[in-house]
Amino acid sequence: MKLKKDKNAVILAHNYQDKEVQEVADIVGDSLKLSLAARETDADIILFAGVKFMAEQAKVLNPEKKVLIPDPSSLCSLAAMVNEEMVKEYKERYPDAPLVVYVNSPIEIKAMADYIVTSANALDVISKLESDVVLFSPDSNLANWVAEKTGKKIITIPPTGHCYVHLLITGYDVIRMKEKYPDAVVMVHPEVPKEAKRYADFIGGTGAMVKFVSKSNARRFLVGTEVGMLNRLRREFPKKQFIPIVDKAQCIGMKKINIEKVYWSLLDEVYEVEVDQKIAKRVREALERTFALTG
Ligand code: 13P
Ligand code: SF4
């Protein structure tokens, strides 16, 4: 905490991070909240405790600032499912369809996007688009959920894009846990498969889950997302009980970061996140277009 003050640094931590990392963070949140926080900070250094695409997005929004990631190998496997060739092919096939890119994607793909969304605003953004046909990359479970809600035809690039962590949470797991805890409220992330969503009381990203719990009178919740989320929920709502639907739902990329690495990162000012300026400009334009659409 002293080092953070001496260096005029701000620590942004994703909801999936370890308890100790969340405790030293200035802001703990979902992808959208952290992007907005990165846009507004006046600190000299932004230390990002999350996976690499999140830190890259912070750099895009703050090209003048030093953005650090404690472990550059903290990667998101969902983001690695798409490449530029795939997107070019789909754009040629559907030239009139807007391209909506999920934040869990490589920076080069975001640079090709018309809009960039997170789990918090994907539904809102896509429902506001005039076109009934939309290209979306890379998560098919989120895309199918939005398609069902909006009635739009959403073409996913690639068609089977998924997060291996959320794929572990099946419909069977939800039923089994509901039988064990019949009084509990079930919350799942939109990245879980359709069968798991069918039995949920609430579907939303990690930020929406926090908001949902804050407004609910329920005492017990079954949580269907990466297990780090329970750190955030238990810190914020100590009187409520949170149980993971699948306790093996752990993200290797997120777990690469720990409190020691955060300390060394800040001390040595490593590892600096760099983004090509031309790419960053295109990503900023897509982000501003998205923020303008959602107000
Ligand atoms: P949120 O934007 O809902 O926090 O999700 C990020 C993520 O990586 C989901 O696996
Ligand atoms: Fe990516 Fe899945 Fe990890 Fe989220 S939980 S960062 S989508 S691999």
Side-chain angles (χ1 to χ4, degrees):
M1 293 301 269
K2 183 176 179 306
L3 199 53
K4 191 169 77 161
K5 208 168 157 196
D6 292 348
K7 296 206 177 210
N8 188 27
V10 68
I11 298 182
L12 307 181
H14 188 265
N15 287 326
Y16 293 161
Q17 288 293 300
D18 284 356
K19 184 171 166 279
E20 296 78 12
V21 176
Q22 294 195 13
E23 278 167 2
V24 296
D26 298 271
I27 312 250
V28 181
D30 65 357
S31 312
L32 183 64
K33 183 172 169 181
L34 296 177
S35 289
L36 295 171
R39 201 162 70 141
E40 272 147 32
T41 181
D42 54 9
D44 296 319
I45 296 178
I46 298 174
L47 186 142
F48 208 107
V51 283
K52 202 170 165 203
F53 76 79
M54 296 180 178
E56 281 173 347
Q57 174 123 320
K59 179 68 183 176
V60 161
L61 292 164
N62 283 280
E64 311 304 329
K65 294 207 165 96
K66 193 178 253 188
V67 176
L68 303 176
I69 185 152
D71 186 330
S73 69
S74 55
L75 301 174
C76 166
S77 73
L78 169 60
M81 288 204 157
V82 57
N83 63 39
E84 287 171 78
E85 285 311 306
M86 287 179 198
V87 176
K88 274 187 202 149
E89 192 189 314
Y90 276 87
K91 278 184 118 172
E92 276 168 25
R93 268 205 258 164
Y94 299 91
D96 299 325
L99 173 65
V100 180
V101 172
Y102 190 34
V103 69
N104 298 46
S105 57
I107 198 80
E108 295 77 16
I109 304 299
K110 289 191 187 83
M112 298 168 92
D114 295 304
Y115 301 93
I116 297 169
V117 299
T118 73
S119 64
N121 63 4
L123 190 56
D124 188 25
V125 169
I126 293 175
S127 67
K128 284 182 173 142
L129 297 179
E130 271 180 29
S131 176
D132 285 331
V133 183
V134 174
L135 293 175
F136 185 88
S137 183
D139 191 69
S140 60
N141 289 303
L142 172 61
N144 294 342
W145 176 63
V146 174
E148 225 177 88
K149 291 262 176 198
T150 58
K152 292 187 192 264
K153 179 177 162 121
I154 304 190
I155 296 145
T156 316
I157 315 167
T160 53
H162 65 273
C163 159
Y164 71 97
V165 180
H166 287 89
L167 224 58
L168 290 171
I169 301 161
T170 65
Y172 171 73
D173 293 310
V174 180
I175 294 171
R176 189 175 49 88
M177 291 299 276
K178 265 176 94 131
E179 274 171 12
K180 204 165 166 193
Y181 302 98
D183 62 316
V185 172
V186 179
M187 307 190 286
V188 299
H189 197 279
E191 286 176 22
V192 302
K194 188 177 178 182
E195 297 70 35
K197 286 192 188 88
R198 186 180 303 155
Y199 306 104
D201 300 299
F202 179 75
I203 302 166
T206 64
M209 283 183 186
V210 173
K211 221 178 269 173
F212 175 74
V213 173
S214 74
K215 288 186 183 147
S216 166
N217 293 326
R219 310 245 341 152
R220 189 182 267 179
F221 296 83
L222 294 172
V223 186
T225 189
E226 208 276 342
V227 291
M229 184 62 199
L230 283 95
N231 299 328
R232 169 74 200 270
L233 293 167
R234 287 174 181 152
R235 282 178 60 236
E236 193 134 342
F237 309 101
K239 292 197 177 126
K240 297 189 189 254
Q241 190 188 11
F242 300 97
I243 303 159
I245 293 174
V246 174
D247 58 11
K248 286 186 199 71
Q250 297 189 27
C251 173
I252 297 168
M254 287 283 178
K255 296 293 170 274
K256 292 244 171 169
I257 294 173
N258 58 34
I259 192 69
E260 285 86 3
K261 287 187 191 171
V262 169
Y263 173 71
W264 292 115
S265 171
L266 200 51
L267 187 72
D268 295 339
E269 298 188 18
V270 290
Y271 296 87
E272 224 183 310
V273 177
E274 297 291 356
V275 177
D276 176 271
Q277 281 310 304
K278 273 196 209 133
I279 287 184
K281 186 172 172 287
R282 294 214 298 273
V283 177
R284 267 195 303 278
E285 285 164 4
L287 281 170
E288 292 308 333
R289 207 175 294 126
T290 310
F291 291 144
L293 192 74
T294 56

